[in-house]
Amino acid sequence: MKNRHSSAARLALASAPLMLLVAGMAVGHPGHDHVHGSGFAAGLAHPLLGLDHLLAMLAVGLWSLRQSRAFSLAAPLFAASGMLLGAGLAWGGLALPGVEFGIALSVLLAGVLIAALVKVPTAVGAGVVVLFMLFHGHAHGREMPHGASMLAYLAGFTLATLAITYAGRLVGGRLMQRENRFLRALGVVIAAAGALFAFG
């Protein structure tokens, strides 16, 4: 019984910082209007300043660890590909309906996939990640600062996407060395954040 309470306390402590972030950041993209400077700096900062983007990319890295080795290794590239495709659609003038809701839903579903320890074939997983990140990439492309270099902006948010997704894999790997319950709990927190973004 004591060990169970100890585990619950550690879980609560681990989840608390993320829940505090979620509670104070219900809007999708706070702070983006304040990103100035080169296209590269704006692209690099954009995923970090939007909690929805940050959680989605972390979630992809976390979820990938329960998949095949091929999928796990390629997950950051799948995420970056979805981002690039979405940005390309935005820059090409193709509007996607419900982009903000799609972003929120991707966070919610990614959290559910982590919490439920869902495993899928590599091709299916790749499609899911690309689809999730397509909405995020479209928002990135649409919100590129006026006058910024497109290539520099693209390089910035691609680098940020890869870094955040790899960070998710690192965190997930540490959690899986202990117990899956910690990974599942983090999935629940991410799903709750997605629900807040979508319906809050």
Side-chain angles (χ1 to χ4, degrees), residues 3-88:
N3 287 339
R4 184 179 302 172
H5 288 310
S6 178
S7 295
R10 285 197 302 267
L11 181 57
L13 287 172
S15 302
L18 190 53
M19 289 304 292
L20 287 173
L21 281 173
V22 170
M25 301 177 72
V27 294
H29 307 104
H32 288 176
D33 292 339
H34 303 291
V35 177
H36 299 292
S38 71
F40 181 79
L44 195 64
H46 197 283
L48 298 170
L49 294 179
L51 184 60
D52 49 3
H53 299 313
L54 184 63
L55 288 179
M57 294 170 193
L58 285 172
V60 167
L62 288 168
W63 184 53
S64 73
L65 289 171
R66 297 287 304 174
Q67 310 307 311
S68 68
R69 178 172 173 77
F71 178 83
S72 180
L73 292 174
L77 298 178
F78 295 146
S81 297
M83 292 285 289
L84 294 173
L85 179 59

